[in-house]
Amino acid sequence: MKIVTIIGARPQIIKAAGLSRAIKNNFSDKIEEIIVHTGQHYDQNMSEVFFEELGIPKPNINLNVGSGKHGEQTAKMISGIEDILINEQPDAIVLYGDTNSTLAGAVAASKIHVPIVHIEAGLRSYNKQMPEEINRIMCDHASTLLFSPTKAGVENLVKEGFKLDNIAPFNSDQPGVFHCGDIMYDNSLYFSELSDKKSSVLQDNKIKAGGYVLSTIHRNDNTDQPERLSGIFEAILELIDVYGLDFVLPLHPRTEKQMKVNLSETLQKRIEEEVRLKLIPPVSFLDMIALEKNSKIVVTDSGGVQKEAFFFQKPCVILRPETEWVELVACGAAKIVGWHKEQIIDAFNGYMNTEQIDFPPLFGDGEAGKFMCEKMLESLG
Ligand code: UD1
Ligand code: UDP
């Protein structure tokens, strides 16, 4: 079986490590994988670093599309992916998550009838202002095999008319929907020990296990609106004052750029002068795992980081008005707060005063990649 895997943004590169590892370890005689990087993310620390440290095969092709307006960026990707699919004639295309690279793969493949395998299917924020919500809905509805990491994801698909009878042969009119666990849980388990051995990120940044908060911000909703970005940083500065904890914030390039545009000079100065607020460049995945495992609380608008906080049993304050990972909130391990200073502080205070939080097993057994390969071979091989 020949598959073309599309990656482009940071989280997709990390997710792809899970499937590539399953192929290499269990199915190397049965599945040939061709990796195509759209070039959506291109900085060394947003892309290349992950190939080296996670042992992902280097992309066979890089479209080098780069940044741009949604339509412009997606169109270039569609055109590049279409040529590759025509050339390679794969049995399926594998798409991850909900970025513009995902959508481009779905459009290109569906037009020329290449079956689509969507990993992380069924997730919904029910907020169509998010570019990701449109991308994931469109991708799901063009897919032949839908692998959902959560029960809520499967339920969302059923609400949208997908059937669970799962009778092969599958096609885009009669797709297969599988609840299979989370490929990122596979990765977090797999790389956790290596991170313990290799990462020196705590020493490098002079922080102590349990003595800091890990934070990431990159959603366009937060970075591109001055009021929201300011609310988040005001809350962080106040929490540092109250608790005397360090805040470590690996800065997404989008955020670094938008902070200069959207924060007042006074606020930028306060941020610069606060030594306990450590703004650092994006870190490698092994460093990120170390930062997550040793943090006290995680404050983030990232989908992936929300979940990894949960995997490593850390409470999470979600800087968004909703989440696709509703289970985290339902079990009390995460709180949705949006961008309002007071709500962020309230939620944070709540976790500082909470002793016991439950982290039930919600994301599978760490073998989602293997399960997906088996299903692909059964139905598309
Ligand atoms: C994208 C995804 C988002 C995902 C995120 C993961 C879409 C619509 N959004 O958002 O779902 O959560 O990736 O990180 O696909 N930039 C650089 N260097 C890079 C990459 C980006 O400087 O290597 C800067 C550019 O100014 C660019 C901006 O970041 O315009 C935004 O990048 P883009 O890929 O368009 O969206 P993200 O915000 O990264
Ligand atoms: N991540 C990383 N280094 C960083 C920030 C994030 O390796 O500096 C990892 C993180 O552990 C998770 C993924 O990137 O696996 C999440 O990506 P991001 O937050 O960019 O996107 P999202 O998950 O929100 O789409």
Side-chain angles (χ1 to χ4, degrees):
M1 181 183 189
K2 186 186 201 179
I3 59 171
V4 165
T5 294
I6 304 292
I7 54 175
R10 168 170 66 190
Q12 294 169 325
I13 302 170
I14 301 172
K15 283 166 203 169
L19 199 75
S20 295
R21 192 172 58 250
I23 293 173
K24 188 169 136 214
N25 291 344
N26 305 289
F27 304 95
S28 59
D29 55 337
K30 297 194 179 74
I31 302 179
E32 179 196 355
E33 184 182 34
I34 294 171
I35 299 183
V36 176
H37 194 322
T38 63
Q40 178 169 352
H41 287 176
Y42 43 85
D43 290 349
Q44 195 275 345
N45 56 19
M46 294 293 287
S47 174
E48 201 180 330
V49 62
F50 302 110
F51 292 93
E52 287 158 14
E53 76 170 358
L54 306 183
I56 313 165
K58 285 264 167 143
N60 303 68
I61 303 163
N62 192 324
L63 297 174
N64 290 314
V65 161
S67 305
K69 294 189 293 247
H70 286 282
E72 182 191 21
Q73 185 186 51
T74 311
K76 284 185 195 158
M77 293 175 188
I78 294 173
S79 169
I81 295 169
E82 182 176 56
D83 286 345
I84 293 164
L85 294 178
I86 291 170
N87 208 17
E88 295 291 345
Q89 297 286 314
D91 297 294
I93 187 170
V94 175
L95 303 173
Y96 291 94
D98 52 24
T99 72
N100 287 349
S101 300
T102 316
L103 176 64
V107 174
S110 57
K111 298 282 178 184
I112 52 174
H113 313 302
V114 173
I116 297 171
V117 177
H118 190 200
I119 297 182
E120 256 191 24
L123 299 179
R124 297 289 181 266
S125 64
Y126 294 100
N127 172 3
K128 284 193 179 160
Q129 297 298 310
M130 287 179 75
E132 293 85 358
E133 184 76 352
I134 305 296
N135 293 347
R136 54 173 91 99
I137 291 173
M138 291 173 84
C139 183
D140 278 342
H141 284 262
S143 291
T144 289
L145 283 187
L146 294 92
F147 290 119
S148 179
T150 60
K151 278 193 194 146
V154 174
E155 283 159 17
N156 291 335
L157 291 171
V158 170
K159 275 189 233 153
E160 289 173 24
F162 285 86
K163 302 217 164 50
L164 292 181
D165 34 8
N166 279 346
I167 301 163
F170 301 119
N171 57 53
S172 53
D173 292 320
Q174 192 181 310
V177 174
F178 297 95
H179 177 210
C180 64
D182 194 314
I183 193 99
M184 282 308 295
Y185 184 54
D186 294 16
N187 279 331
S188 293
L189 285 184
Y190 185 83
F191 290 111
S192 174
E193 211 179 310
L194 197 61
S195 162
D196 291 345
K197 281 193 197 131
K198 288 207 161 171
S199 175
S200 59
V201 70
L202 268 64
Q203 297 91 298
D204 297 346
N205 288 288
K206 302 186 176 54
I207 44 175
K208 291 210 174 73
Y212 67 92
V213 176
L214 172 65
S215 182
T216 73
I217 306 159
H218 79 278
R219 291 279 153 204
N220 62 324
D221 240 13
N222 286 331
T223 59
D224 297 4
Q225 306 207 35
E227 186 200 352
R228 296 180 183 183
L229 196 60
S230 306
I232 292 169
F233 276 101
E234 293 276 3
I236 290 176
L237 289 170
E238 185 158 329
L239 288 168
I240 290 176
D241 258 357
V242 173
Y243 290 106
L245 286 163
D246 290 324
F247 265 68
V248 180
L249 213 162
L251 267 190
H252 190 289
R254 169 182 214 118
T255 316
E256 191 185 6
K257 284 175 191 155
Q258 295 299 71
M259 281 172 75
K260 292 182 189 127
V261 179
N262 286 333
L263 299 182
S264 70
E265 276 182 25
T266 324
L267 187 51
Q268 287 189 50
K269 192 149 182 284
R270 284 174 58 207
I271 290 169
E272 221 176 275
E273 286 171 356
E274 179 49 78
V275 288
R276 285 190 174 272
L277 176 50
K278 295 170 189 285
L279 302 179
I280 60 174
V283 296
S284 75
F285 187 56
L286 296 184
D287 284 348
M288 194 62 183
I289 290 183
L291 287 173
E292 289 165 345
K293 273 172 103 166
N294 292 294
S295 65
K296 192 162 178 63
I297 296 178
V298 173
V299 176
T300 188
D301 62 9
S302 157
V305 178
Q306 275 171 53
K307 252 182 320 159
E308 287 160 7
F310 183 88
F311 301 157
F312 296 117
Q313 310 213 335
K314 305 296 168 185
C316 181
V317 175
I318 302 175
L319 303 170
R320 282 183 48 197
E322 73 280 304
T323 180
E324 302 76 34
W325 305 101
V326 289
E327 296 82 355
L328 310 183
V329 179
C331 73
K335 283 184 196 161
I336 292 175
V337 298
W339 50 83
H340 295 287
K341 178 181 165 189
E342 286 72 26
Q343 285 171 19
I344 298 170
I345 292 173
D346 271 1
F348 191 94
N349 289 341
Y351 281 134
M352 286 299 284
N353 297 314
T354 308
E355 299 271 295
Q356 188 65 36
I357 301 168
D358 261 353
F359 296 92
L362 294 171
F363 292 95
D365 56 4
E367 300 275 1
K370 198 166 159 211
F371 175 87
M372 291 189 264
C373 287
E374 279 161 5
K375 289 293 163 204
M376 281 195 275
L377 280 167
E378 265 171 45
S379 45
L380 300 170

